[in-house]
């Protein structure tokens, strides 16, 4: 029998990080001592008190059944309490839905709102999932370039009127992956007005809101701004904050009708988040946050070593204020892909080509701060020996 994949599946580009992982494994098999600064997956373990909480929860038979629905009331309440504490944002449990990692909701939200031909506004370079959901719903992606001259914020005024009128959904992501940019209040004010004027749902991806380096400049939540809840939702995740990428838990919160739309899709696709994981997430969100502070310290040290090291070698790179990425301009005369290849072949370093996350990423590479300081020093040492 001839197996023929669907047109939509064929339309998807290869999932970048799986491709990078493949190349990395090939090099390891050849005996290379790889330093992996590619995929944004924390190397540090989940804090012990969260693991302990999971161990206790997993023993309870009540947690062994289908979880169903929007998530435990206690989990949703924990998210509400956390928003109040962190952002001074008031939410109620009806405005929160648990997700199997925020990627799940980010990939599924389209099914609730996008009809064939509807435009989805997507910032690029960016997380590939915004576009995946668009392709799966026969939506039409309109890519908003994130350029240095605009502080890596989408230029909403540059979106043609007729595109804005056809748009149903807009994705924004700050602190940003991959550019490490943060969004100021004024941007969100403008975004909310733009969404209102054009009847567009805002989907704000806040996966990195807890990875910041200056106590006095904590990243904002989109929901802090007046009117945000009228037009949109925010996606949250425990993955990066608590080193829980493998656990698969996050949330979508904000506008109740939009949250309900996501839930309706989920009710028909999956049966919820394992309750033991939800209980461990409650522990993470509601107990002492020192583990998050200690994470930030570790990333900060790594960031400083990598950025200073690259600068000394003549790379053009600015110090990120948030996220665990360093967005570096490639040496003159090279493309992103050429630099990625050179770093892998000549220094056994894995990083992400900027253009792999969108065409405006050409000319950059992304380094993830997910290895120890000594390995970062080693990486700098190796890069210094490359002949450009
Ligand atoms: C890592 C990441 C996520 C989500 O992660 P989950 O593990 O699915 O919660 C979402 N958005 C961006 C931009 C990310 O980098």
């Amino acid at each position: 029998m001839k197996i023929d994949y669907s047109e939509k599946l064929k339309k998807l580009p290869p999932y970048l990080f799986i491709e990078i992982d493949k190349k990395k494994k090939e090099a390891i098999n050849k005996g290379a001592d790889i330093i992996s600064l590619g995929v944004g997956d924390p190397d540090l373990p989940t804090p012990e008190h969260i693991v302990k909480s999971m161990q206790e929860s997993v023993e309870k038979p009540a947690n062994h059944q289908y979880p169903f629905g929007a998530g435990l009331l206690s989990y949703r309440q924990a998210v509400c309490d956390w928003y109040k504490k962190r952002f001074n944002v008031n939410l109620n449990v009806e405005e929160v839905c648990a997700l199997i990692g925020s990627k799940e909701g980010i990939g599924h939200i389209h099914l609730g709102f996008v009809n064939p031909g509807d435009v989805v506004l997507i910032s690029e370079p960016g997380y590939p999932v915004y576009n995946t959901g668009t392709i799966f719903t026969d939506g039409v992606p309109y890519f908003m370039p994130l350029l240095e001259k605009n502080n890596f914020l989408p230029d909403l005024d540059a979106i043609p009127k007729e595109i804005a009128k056809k748009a149903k959904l807009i994705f924004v992501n700050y602190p940003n992956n991959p550019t490490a940019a943060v969004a100021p209040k004024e941007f969100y004010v403008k975004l909310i007005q733009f969404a209102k004027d054009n009847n567009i749902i805002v989907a704000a991806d806040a996966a990195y809101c807890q990875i910041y380096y200056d106590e006095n400049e904590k990243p904002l939540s989109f929901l802090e701004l007046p009117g945000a809840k009228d037009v949109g939702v925010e996606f949250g995740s425990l993955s990066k904050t608590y080193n829980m990428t493998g656990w698969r838990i996050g949330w979508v919160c904000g506008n109740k009708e939009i949250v309900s739309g996501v839930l309706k899709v989920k009710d028909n696709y999956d049966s919820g988040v394992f309750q033991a994981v939800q209980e461990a997430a409650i522990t993470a969100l509601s107990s002492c946050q020192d583990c998050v502070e200690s994470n930030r310290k570790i990333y900060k040290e790594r960031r400083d070593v990598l950025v200073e090291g690259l600068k000394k070698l003549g790379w053009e790179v600015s110090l990120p204020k948030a996220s665990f990425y360093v967005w570096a301009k490639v040496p003159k005369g090279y493309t992103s892909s050429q630099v990625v290849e050179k770093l892998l072949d000549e220094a056994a370093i894995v990083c992400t080509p900027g253009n792999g996350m969108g065409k405006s990423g050409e000319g950059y590479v992304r380094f993830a701060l997910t290895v120890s300081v000594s390995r970062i020093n080693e990486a700098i040492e190796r890069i210094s020996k490359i002949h450009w």
Side-chain angles (χ1 to χ4, degrees):
M1 191 180 94
K2 182 173 175 290
I3 305 295
D4 195 15
Y5 295 111
S6 72
E7 290 310 314
K8 284 176 188 166
L9 207 56
K10 282 192 240 174
K11 253 210 256 179
L12 287 183
Y15 199 78
L16 179 68
F17 297 104
I18 293 178
E19 294 304 302
I20 291 172
D21 197 57
K22 250 194 233 162
K23 279 205 178 131
K24 176 176 110 183
K25 284 185 177 135
E26 275 166 25
I28 290 172
N29 285 341
K30 281 191 219 147
D33 171 27
I34 291 284
I35 301 174
S36 183
L37 306 170
V39 184
D41 191 349
D43 56 315
L44 303 161
T46 306
E48 212 174 288
H49 66 287
I50 302 171
V51 175
K52 285 249 155 61
S53 167
M54 176 73 181
Q55 284 167 340
E56 283 160 25
S57 290
V58 98
E59 288 191 16
K60 296 183 210 159
N63 285 339
H64 298 168
Q65 293 183 291
Y66 285 124
F68 287 133
L72 294 168
L73 263 180
S74 49
Y75 172 70
R76 288 182 283 147
Q77 189 58 51
V79 172
C80 296
D81 295 345
W82 184 86
Y83 259 82
K84 182 71 190 165
K85 220 173 177 173
R86 169 67 175 86
F87 297 116
N88 199 25
V89 165
N90 293 308
L91 288 170
N92 67 54
V93 291
E94 310 267 278
E95 295 167 325
V96 180
C97 176
L99 297 171
I100 311 170
S102 63
K103 180 180 183 180
E104 181 257 311
I106 291 167
H108 281 151
I109 186 172
H110 309 66
L111 286 160
F113 304 98
V114 177
N115 290 311
D118 285 348
V119 169
V120 179
L121 304 171
I122 300 172
S123 57
E124 67 84 15
Y127 194 50
V129 188
Y130 312 136
N131 188 33
T132 308
T134 306
I135 293 173
F136 280 165
T137 49
D138 286 317
V140 180
Y142 179 86
F143 293 103
M144 307 176 287
L146 302 184
L147 307 174
E148 191 176 2
K149 65 170 186 184
N150 299 327
N151 299 316
F152 300 110
L153 298 165
D155 181 0
L156 300 175
D157 297 327
I159 300 167
K161 281 263 171 310
E162 64 279 13
I163 297 286
K165 287 289 164 224
K166 280 196 234 161
K168 198 66 198 284
L169 196 56
I170 180 168
F171 282 97
V172 293
N173 165 223
Y174 294 97
N176 184 255
N177 172 10
T179 67
V182 288
K185 213 177 230 169
E186 304 78 64
F187 170 72
Y188 286 124
V189 170
K190 203 163 182 179
L191 175 66
I192 291 165
Q193 193 59 49
F194 174 78
K196 274 193 182 140
D197 292 346
N198 296 288
N199 212 33
I200 302 172
I201 292 170
V202 174
D205 178 352
Y208 295 94
C209 68
Q210 290 298 75
I211 315 291
Y212 54 81
Y213 301 110
D214 186 343
E215 273 299 316
N216 301 316
E217 278 188 73
K218 289 187 192 175
L220 298 173
S221 161
F222 151 74
L223 295 173
E224 283 178 57
L225 280 297
K229 227 195 258 179
D230 297 332
V231 297
V233 288
E234 187 157 81
F235 289 92
S237 171
L238 283 89
S239 289
K240 315 290 165 47
T241 308
Y242 303 100
N243 309 327
M244 289 173 69
T245 47
W247 297 56
R248 312 312 304 131
I249 183 155
W251 65 79
V252 58
C253 66
N255 183 284
K256 191 171 143 187
E257 281 172 272
I258 303 171
V259 169
S260 300
V262 176
L263 176 59
K264 207 162 180 179
V265 173
K266 286 175 60 57
D267 281 342
N268 288 282
Y269 257 129
D270 63 64
S271 305
V273 182
F274 183 21
Q275 280 181 190
V277 173
Q278 292 189 54
E279 289 186 355
I282 295 170
T283 301
L285 291 169
S286 50
S287 51
C288 170
Q289 300 295 296
D290 285 357
C291 58
V292 187
E293 182 54 29
S294 121
N295 253 1
R296 283 192 283 262
K297 275 207 183 106
I298 292 168
Y299 289 131
K300 189 173 187 177
E301 197 187 349
R302 294 173 177 181
R303 173 197 72 158
D304 293 345
V305 170
L306 182 63
V307 169
E308 276 164 36
L310 287 172
K311 275 187 171 163
K312 269 189 197 142
L313 297 176
W315 287 55
E316 209 180 305
V317 46
S318 54
L319 200 64
K321 286 186 183 163
S323 86
F324 51 52
Y325 301 111
V326 169
W327 187 238
K329 273 206 182 127
V330 298
K332 288 221 158 49
Y334 291 89
T335 64
S336 298
S337 305
Q338 284 169 338
V339 170
V340 168
E341 213 169 297
K342 219 167 150 66
L343 289 178
L344 183 62
D345 294 345
E346 297 177 33
I349 292 167
V350 175
C351 66
T352 303
N355 66 316
M357 299 185 74
K359 74 176 176 26
S360 302
E362 179 54 55
Y364 293 87
V365 289
R366 189 195 76 177
F367 296 104
L369 299 168
T370 48
V371 302
S372 67
V373 164
S374 68
R375 292 296 271 173
I376 292 175
N377 275 318
E378 165 77 20
I380 293 292
E381 179 65 25
R382 291 186 196 175
I383 295 173
S384 74
K385 290 187 180 130
I386 296 178
H387 187 73
W388 297 96

